Amino acid sequence: MNFKFTSIICVVVFALTFAACNRPNSTGTDDDTVNVKTGVKPIADAQVAVIETEDFGEIVIELYPNVAPQMVERFKKLVHEGFYDGTTFHRVNEESALIQGGDPLSRDNDPENDGNGDSPYPNVPGEFSDLPFERGSVGAARREGSPPGESGQTEAMARNTANCQFFITLRREPDYDEDYTLFGRIIAGLGNAEIIMRAPVAPETETPAEKITVKRITLQDRAKYPPATQ
């Protein structure tokens, strides 16, 4: 029931302390074939997602509907509904350079259930591309498949379990390439995301010692923001 991240330290810690965002997708199969869009050039949506945090300023995300149309549609739908307002970045890891949020269960005061939250909508199939996960990339969190030989959801099925949670990579992460849905990129507030990444955590966990709350996420005109630069 854990998200799959291939950094060894991240996997060990996360497997012990965090469960998945999503229920299994009923349309998942055991087919190991992964369809990957190749040579795709991301085209920015007309709107950006502006994450306003309680204490760490704003993070502005450019969305790529031509790369991951279903995930962008889902994310925008949830933003319109205020789904993310009051949630937290429940997972931070400076060593693996990653932060994760979007779990509705993170609103409560029980860190044990963080990572288990879901939206009321079905899971989103994987939309993989050859776009690399770089500093500032935004990906869709998903479940981890069971190890070979064990019962449960296969890795092929787990690739289709994106739903509501998202993560941001803050360095180049080739292990995520073509294995997670990349659907956006930070174009403003990258430094704020890096401060969140370095926040103190509870001992032997990836749980922030103090809540990192998202006040709201809104959709705003992309034209207000300058072109993205790496």
Side-chain angles (χ1 to χ4, degrees):
M1 293 293 289
N2 300 312
F3 286 119
K4 173 179 174 291
F5 295 99
T6 52
S7 170
I8 295 174
I9 295 175
C10 183
V11 168
V12 172
V13 174
F14 189 52
L16 292 174
T17 58
F18 287 93
C21 161
N22 306 309
R23 292 184 296 269
N25 188 333
S26 60
T27 61
T29 71
D30 290 328
D31 185 1
D32 286 332
T33 302
V34 178
N35 294 319
V36 177
K37 292 181 180 179
T38 59
V40 61
K41 181 178 180 180
I43 299 173
D45 190 74
Q47 295 178 307
V48 295
V50 179
I51 303 174
E52 183 182 350
T53 70
E54 289 279 4
D55 303 301
F56 296 88
E58 292 183 346
I59 300 170
V60 181
I61 296 173
E62 180 177 76
L63 303 171
Y64 301 139
N66 72 311
V67 176
Q70 294 182 78
M71 191 62 214
V72 170
E73 180 183 13
R74 167 62 55 79
F75 186 71
K76 292 180 67 173
K77 179 181 180 67
L78 294 176
V79 169
H80 274 300
E81 295 175 354
F83 178 87
Y84 294 114
D85 301 356
T87 61
T88 73
F89 282 102
H90 64 273
R91 178 182 177 220
V92 302
N93 191 314
E94 182 176 4
E95 189 162 1
S96 61
L98 182 143
I99 64 176
Q100 184 172 317
D103 180 2
L105 296 181
S106 66
R107 293 190 184 95
D108 64 24
N109 293 317
D110 179 11
E112 295 297 324
N113 65 16
D114 291 354
N116 290 302
D118 204 349
S119 82
Y121 304 111
N123 291 334
V124 179
E127 298 173 287
F128 307 118
S129 70
D130 61 358
L131 289 178
F133 274 90
E134 298 177 320
R135 181 170 174 256
S137 296
V138 181
R142 64 171 177 82
R143 291 186 61 178
E144 179 184 19
S146 299
E150 293 188 12
S151 61
Q153 184 167 240
T154 66
E155 178 63 18
M157 295 171 67
R159 291 192 180 102
N160 295 314
T161 57
N163 188 292
C164 60
Q165 294 189 43
F166 59 91
F167 64 92
I168 298 169
T169 54
L170 292 162
R171 70 181 180 207
R172 176 75 177 100
E173 289 291 353
D175 287 340
Y176 301 164
D177 293 353
E178 302 183 11
D179 202 28
Y180 289 86
T181 298
L182 190 157
F183 69 97
R185 177 186 174 192
I186 293 178
I187 59 169
L190 186 58
N192 295 335
E194 291 177 329
I195 292 171
I196 291 171
M197 175 191 70
R198 298 186 182 99
V201 296
E204 299 182 0
T205 77
E206 297 174 304
T207 303
E210 297 185 5
K211 278 194 171 188
I212 301 172
T213 302
V214 174
K215 291 174 64 176
R216 64 183 64 88
I217 303 181
T218 57
L219 296 171
Q220 300 186 25
D221 188 351
R222 174 67 180 84
K224 295 179 181 179
Y225 297 88
T229 57
Q230 189 64 33

